[in-house]
Amino acid sequence: MMQLRHLRTLLCAGVLAALAVPAHAQLTIDMTKPSFEPVPIAIVDFSGDAVGAQIAEVIRNDLQNSGLFRSIPSSAFIQRTVDSNAAPRFADWRGVGAQGLVVGQMTNVGGNIKVDFRLWDVVVGQQAAGLSFNSQPNNWRRLGHIISDAIYKRVTGEEGYFDTRVAYVSESGPLTSRVKRIAIMDQDGANNRYITDGRTLAVTPRFSPTLQEIVYMAYGEGPTPPKVYLQNVDSGQRQLLGNFPGMSFAPRFSPDGSRVAMSLSEGGRTSLYEMSVRGGGPRRLTTSTAIDTSPSYSNDGTQIVFNSDRGGTQQLYVMSSGGGGEKRISFGDGRYATPVWSPRGDYIAFTKIMPGSFGIGIMRPDGSGERVLANGYLVEGPTWAPNGRVLMYFEQQPNGAGRAGSVTLHSIDITGRFGRQVPTPTDASDPAWSPLIPQ
Amino acid sequence: MVALDSAIARYMIDPWPERQNARVVVSGSGGTKIGNREERGAKTTRKREMRTIKALAALAILALMAACSNNEAAIPASTTVTPGSIADFRQNVGDRVYFDTDMSSIRPDGRATLDKQAAWLKQYSNYQITIEGHCDERGTREYNFALGERRATAVRQYLVAQGLPADRIKTISYGKERPEVVGSDEGAWARNRRGVTTLQ
């Protein structure tokens, strides 16, 4: 642990030193501006061996997929080889329209790899960032994502989200006996693997905001009510969270990862409870006779947003995280569901159910400023990237006669400008974005 | 000439996955029970029940497979089945009732079915009963778990009101996870909003 903390300090120092240099540089994006052009950026294959080129490819995909950058194709480059320890020929890079230039080298050092990169601000002709990393050879993809995050942060002023993972529900087989198992992959779709074996239905994975752990709901063998489980995604250790006679579901972590809010059903009523992940009894949060579900803590942990049909239709309510003071915040047309508080606290994302279509939207925590970002026959279940600027959700196409419509993951930024499908090996639903991986 | 920034951080990135962060899980921490005390006492009985349930479930699956391969709808109502068997219940009584959109109240057609179910289940009191609640796809996954539970509970309460002992009937919700019919039109949705009485 000590070692980890030490390393983190060094990382911060490194980024700050790089940031401190060009206060007047042009290489910046304000992504909230109404008119917006992606920043043209040239990413040269890192020198060294073949892995250097692969690292550059990871960075290109990350930045291009964010919608904020346009990766200039290598075929256009005038300066074909760039010494990563010398200044580039800026005129050549201005000539191909680049505003940013990324160069790097990968070297093998006693069984480990060492990767250096520099981000050049081509417009003003200065270095904008520079970092060096040592790691094990099989970590090269992760190094690429960490470099993407450093570039994203330097250019946008926002934390990156590329060194993250996504847990989701992998779906296969006919709809009437669908296999649903929890899977996890890197944010860009690499390193896909399965967390549950698929023998019983497992859905709604949610990441701890602090650790590489998830909570999810899974059925048991036979007709027993489904329950909530806590599982470490790396070690596989799994723990039952509460053992209630009725169904428990819709779990979500508190911001410090110490508690989980969830729904419990009893006699047809569904109320909200809170459990400590360290054990101890459940704490009841709501007592209505209606359906209260999909709880999500505010980023500071003082409030919970949830959806309830206590007023007749499904709407969003905010209350104190200890329960009490419920206040309705959704007043638009249609029904509202699956509210998720942004890790930055400025927005609540939700699913909106309208006649004939579903939407994914955001609103401020007081319910004002509602914007629908994506529509479809059935779009559902937004999850926030750790920087609170990008959402992922899933979309189901209409079923044909006896044939299941595809179910796919999609991401979209909060301006609604950059939407894209996130590739998965199987049909996929219920995405859950991880926090940034601890370094 | 541009001076190269000499302040480059050098540090080791730990291998991923990071075992250092694995939380120590106390095995057998058990969790906490709410609800009645019988729950705990009934544990061993439950285990025994579970074994029976598993055996019966296997039989039920076989029966279901047979039904499916014959194409359920094509089975004539007059097929000779052993009175008091699960097949008898399904074919001659009807094991499911349907609900209106986002509703959990029992419709008049459902009441007729449930009245027949109650009479049959009183006659054949050897079965334990689990009511499954299901929804169509046009709701969010989590809300539909709760709605399915509400529907299953409505069926259970109706049967209890007809004189069946409450402790014979359990409920389970499958939300929108287990449709009866694959389709995205009113015909399919109507058949997927259902309560199914299953026997063990």
Side-chain angles (χ1 to χ4, degrees), chain B residues 15-37:
Chain B
W16 182 15
E18 276 190 42
R19 307 236 170 234
Q20 292 93 322
N21 280 340
R23 175 177 287 157
V24 178
V25 176
V26 183
S27 62
S29 63
T32 317
K33 283 188 162 64
I34 60 164
N36 51 32
R37 247 170 265 122

Side-chain angles (χ1 to χ4, degrees), chain A residues 4 11 85 114 132-134 142-143 165 180 206 213 219 250 280 294 309 377 380 399 429-430 438, chain B residues 4-5 9-11 13-18 23 32 137 141-143 150 173 176-179 182 184:
Chain A
L4 272 177
L11 168 69
N85 289 315
K114 175 172 167 288
S132 173
F133 307 92
N134 284 284
R142 207 184 152 200
L143 290 181
R165 299 192 267 192
K180 297 183 185 181
R206 273 74 195 259
E213 287 182 343
Y219 284 80
S294 303
D309 67 351
Y377 166 71
E380 182 180 338
N399 301 310
S429 58
D430 280 354
Chain B
L4 287 173
D5 184 1
R10 292 175 189 277
Y11 62 93
I13 294 170
D14 286 292
W16 182 15
E18 276 190 42
R23 175 177 287 157
T32 317
E137 66 192 11
R141 188 169 254 162
E142 291 181 332
Y143 178 82
R150 204 187 246 171
S173 171
K176 61 173 173 174
E177 310 304 313
R178 285 280 177 264
V182 177
S184 291

Side-chain angles (χ1 to χ4, degrees), chain A residues 134-214:
Chain A
N134 284 284
S135 191
Q136 292 173 350
N138 61 3
N139 243 354
W140 62 269
R141 289 195 71 88
R142 207 184 152 200
L143 290 181
H145 294 311
I146 290 171
I147 291 169
S148 299
D149 281 334
I151 296 167
Y152 184 95
K153 180 168 185 175
R154 173 60 190 77
V155 175
T156 68
E158 306 276 355
E159 289 296 333
Y161 56 87
F162 303 114
D163 184 28
T164 55
R165 299 192 267 192
V166 174
Y168 67 97
V169 174
S170 167
E171 302 196 10
S172 56
L175 278 191
T176 50
S177 56
R178 192 85 147 166
V179 174
K180 297 183 185 181
R181 55 198 298 212
I182 310 290
I184 191 168
M185 62 185 187
D186 297 354
Q187 148 282 133
D188 63 350
N191 295 317
N192 188 80
R193 62 192 173 84
Y194 296 97
I195 301 287
T196 62
D197 60 18
R199 279 187 304 138
T200 65
L201 280 174
V203 293
T204 65
R206 273 74 195 259
F207 253 104
S208 161
T210 56
L211 290 169
Q212 294 299 302
E213 287 182 343
I214 54 169

Side-chain angles (χ1 to χ4, degrees), chain B residues 91-110:
Chain B
Q91 289 177 34
N92 299 323
V93 176
D95 66 349
R96 57 198 65 199
V97 297
Y98 298 100
F99 293 89
D100 291 334
T101 302
D102 207 16
M103 300 297 282
S104 58
S105 48
I106 309 290
R107 304 192 313 214
D109 58 335

Side-chain angles (χ1 to χ4, degrees), chain A residues 81-97:
Chain A
T81 53
V82 190
D83 179 352
S84 59
N85 289 315
R89 296 200 302 264
F90 290 112
D92 285 1
W93 295 102
R94 286 183 200 116
V96 298

